[in-house]
Amino acid sequence: MQNKKLLWMMFGLSCLATMILVSIGRYFDTVVTLIHTPVRKFVSTLNSDFYGEPLPLQYQQVYKIPEQHSLLQNNLSKQTLYDLEEQVQPIPEPNVDPIKDSNGKPVHHIAFIKAHKAASTTVQNIFLRYGYENDLVFALPRAGSTISTANTVRPGSILPPPPSRPYDILCSHVRFDREAFGRILPNDTKYIGIVREPFHQFQSNLQYYRQRFVLNIPGDKPVQEYLLHNDKYMKFGGNNIPSTYNKMAYDFGFPQDLFWSKDHDKIQRFLAKLDNEIDLVIVTEYFDESIVLMRRLLNWDLQYVLYGKLNSKKKKDPRLEIGSEEEGLYRKWAHLDYALYNFFLDKLKEKLKHQPPDFYEELAYFRSTRTKYDDFCKLSLDGGQSVILFEGSKWNTPFIVTKEQCKHLYIREIPFFNQLRARRILQLDRMN
């Protein structure tokens, strides 16, 4: 009798233990499912074949990765995708887009006034990569990377667009003329320029281009001699405008008479005209702040405005080293560049004063993400890992960077333009 009671007691305890284990198992299975499902959904945007059904339509636009940068085309293994799963954070609700504001879609129509030696190649590379990855139509020069150094843009100076498609982006060197730009670009185009402190721009120009008309001046201080006797050494560009002073003003399309006069009122009227025609002027000395403002103006995901350092400095020529004496002399000749720079520097500072509280939060995040991006790409191209995942934030959706994308981060502008031209010619050939 006593043995029967003991058996029944053991049977009851075993049933209870089984129920507890089943409950625990169901709990953990639910947790794993909750964590794993959104990860599977995110990775399915990279290659839906690995997980069966593709991501629902409302997610696909937010997480679309351009075909030419898919993980499979970069020869990454299936195991790499499983490794990435462990890092991916759950994606946000499909009706919550942290990037787009009330203005709607990202801007695809852009004109960039590319001033010489003002970090403009770095900004140009941002536009080239964005347009390349989104299959946008560039106003491409017929050769090289410059449309014209003497004139503004004309239909005959650029390759025609594919049939039934407008030009989307103009970001090559060419003199700015709002009316001429407007004849080839859509009406909703955003206009962006860039300026740099004029004397620093002059220094950079000297060290980078190493103009023979300066280097051939005898003595230890050829730049000072050049600036002291400008009438002897001055070189001229298009429309008989000096090509060695006020180069930014030249790129921004200042009229010829202002290069020879110092009519303050006329200069200010032309600056007001530029201010009315251009949506944002980047200031190199406030580069990251300007890029964040540009991201907000264009309504882009933050991943598209990350940049690498291009056109690195050459080894300095000691004969081209200049200081305060040369700066004083240069100010006398570069009156337009100083007026242009100071005008848009003041405008930028005023914009920064009126930014919402999260602007500097975004700026800090942008800087840390850009550094991580730049560091990864340098290591990747030097034989390091071939893919990296960046988590989402208020300013970007989660994104992956591959070694192939890094190649375009550091590519020189002429090889990049050659790639774009080759693609355009193929597009036009197919239409014929």
Side-chain angles (χ1 to χ4, degrees):
M1 187 72 178
Q2 196 169 6
N3 289 337
K4 285 185 178 181
K5 287 183 178 180
L6 184 61
L7 286 172
W8 278 109
M9 185 179 296
M10 290 175 66
F11 177 74
L13 287 171
S14 66
C15 290
L16 180 61
T18 300
M19 292 173 64
I20 292 171
L21 287 172
V22 169
S23 299
I24 292 173
R26 286 177 176 172
Y27 171 77
F28 280 108
D29 184 60
T30 300
V31 171
V32 170
T33 300
L34 286 171
I35 294 173
H36 195 62
T37 297
V39 172
R40 287 162 63 94
K41 286 180 178 178
F42 176 79
V43 178
S44 71
T45 65
L46 305 179
N47 191 323
S48 61
D49 290 342
F50 282 163
Y51 289 106
E53 296 181 0
L55 195 65
L57 184 61
Q58 66 266 33
Y59 287 89
Q60 290 176 12
Q61 187 174 359
V62 177
Y63 293 99
K64 182 179 180 182
I65 293 177
E67 184 179 350
Q68 65 269 28
H69 297 308
S70 73
L71 293 181
L72 286 184
Q73 291 183 347
N74 283 290
N75 299 317
L76 299 177
S77 66
K78 183 174 178 179
Q79 183 59 45
T80 303
L81 289 177
Y82 286 120
D83 292 342
L84 286 172
E85 279 189 286
E86 304 303 319
Q87 304 174 43
V88 179
Q89 296 298 312
I91 50 180
E93 290 298 318
N95 60 345
V96 177
D97 190 336
I99 308 307
K100 299 179 180 62
D101 60 22
S102 58
N103 294 324
K105 297 180 180 179
V107 173
H108 282 179
H109 299 147
I110 300 156
F112 178 50
I113 304 155
K114 190 178 187 297
H116 289 77
K117 303 312 300 172
S120 61
T121 301
T122 299
V123 180
Q124 179 192 60
N125 180 263
I126 291 173
F127 295 135
L128 292 177
R129 285 184 288 123
Y130 184 82
Y132 180 85
E133 294 187 14
N134 289 280
D135 192 30
L136 302 183
V137 178
F138 290 94
L140 294 172
R142 293 184 174 272
S145 60
T146 299
I147 294 173
S148 175
T149 57
N151 299 298
T152 188
V153 64
R154 295 184 176 92
S157 61
I158 53 179
L159 288 178
S164 303
R165 292 191 65 182
Y167 291 111
D168 296 308
I169 299 176
L170 190 163
C171 61
S172 296
H173 275 306
V174 66
R175 289 198 77 200
F176 177 62
D177 181 297
R178 180 65 175 78
E179 186 176 339
F181 277 45
R183 283 195 287 268
I184 68 165
L185 293 167
N187 292 332
D188 61 351
T189 296
K190 295 294 184 185
Y191 287 77
I192 297 169
I194 189 167
V195 294
R196 182 180 185 183
E197 195 284 320
F199 189 62
H200 291 157
Q201 191 259 359
F202 177 63
Q203 287 177 303
S204 178
N205 189 70
L206 286 172
Q207 291 287 355
Y208 188 78
Y209 290 110
R210 308 282 173 91
Q211 289 101 330
R212 303 311 303 174
F213 54 81
V214 177
L215 285 172
N216 288 343
I217 297 173
D220 295 332
K221 295 185 175 181
V223 181
Q224 188 175 112
E225 167 67 14
Y226 174 78
L227 293 170
L228 280 168
H229 301 98
N230 181 62
D231 55 336
K232 180 179 178 182
Y233 299 109
M234 183 181 289
K235 298 291 179 180
F236 293 94
N239 300 318
N240 207 34
I241 293 173
S243 63
T244 48
Y245 308 110
N246 299 310
K247 286 186 73 68
M248 292 188 294
Y250 184 81
D251 291 331
F252 274 77
F254 273 70
Q256 182 178 355
D257 64 305
L258 292 182
F259 285 84
W260 300 105
S261 73
K262 294 189 177 180
D263 188 318
H264 178 78
D265 290 340
K266 282 187 177 180
I267 292 171
Q268 291 303 309
R269 283 198 294 273
F270 190 77
L271 288 170
K273 176 177 179 289
L274 288 177
D275 188 39
N276 187 54
E277 294 172 344
I278 302 171
D279 296 284
L280 173 68
V281 174
I282 295 166
V283 176
T284 304
E285 286 69 27
Y286 289 83
F287 193 73
D288 286 348
E289 291 89 341
S290 299
I291 294 298
V292 172
L293 287 173
M294 184 180 83
R295 186 205 72 76
R296 293 182 172 209
L297 171 70
L298 300 179
N299 212 20
W300 284 4
D301 188 299
L302 183 137
Q303 64 174 295
Y304 293 117
V305 295
L306 301 173
Y307 63 87
K309 296 297 178 73
L310 298 169
N311 272 358
S312 57
K313 295 178 181 177
K314 297 180 180 180
K315 185 178 180 181
K316 289 187 176 181
D317 186 327
R319 294 180 71 241
L320 296 177
E321 292 293 318
I322 49 182
S324 57
E325 284 187 64
E326 288 84 0
E327 183 175 6
L329 292 168
Y330 185 71
R331 279 183 175 273
K332 295 177 182 178
W333 294 105
H335 64 287
L336 287 182
D337 272 7
Y338 278 98
L340 175 69
Y341 176 78
N342 290 328
F343 180 87
F344 284 110
L345 175 63
D346 290 343
K347 289 286 179 180
L348 182 77
K349 287 181 175 178
E350 194 64 26
K351 284 179 189 287
L352 292 174
K353 283 181 185 177
H354 296 94
Q355 291 306 302
D358 72 335
F359 176 83
Y360 289 98
E361 182 185 349
E362 178 181 349
L363 178 63
Y365 177 79
F366 167 76
R367 283 172 168 161
S368 64
T369 305
R370 194 208 70 78
T371 300
K372 182 180 177 183
Y373 188 10
D374 202 15
D375 290 346
F376 162 76
C377 281
K378 287 172 181 173
L379 291 171
S380 178
L381 294 176
D382 197 34
Q385 67 186 97
S386 57
V387 63
I388 188 173
L389 172 75
F390 287 82
E391 296 179 357
S393 75
K394 288 162 56 177
W395 308 286
N396 64 277
T397 53
F399 65 98
I400 285 173
V401 177
T402 69
K403 186 175 183 176
E404 289 302 310
Q405 288 170 301
C406 290
K407 290 177 182 177
H408 275 154
L409 187 66
Y410 302 117
I411 190 172
R412 298 295 176 180
E413 58 183 312
I414 290 179
F416 209 152
F417 274 98
N418 288 341
Q419 288 184 22
L420 293 169
R421 255 190 303 272
R423 186 160 75 170
R424 175 70 53 79
I425 291 167
L426 284 174
Q427 289 172 334
L428 293 173
D429 284 347
R430 290 192 192 108
M431 300 296 177
N432 293 333

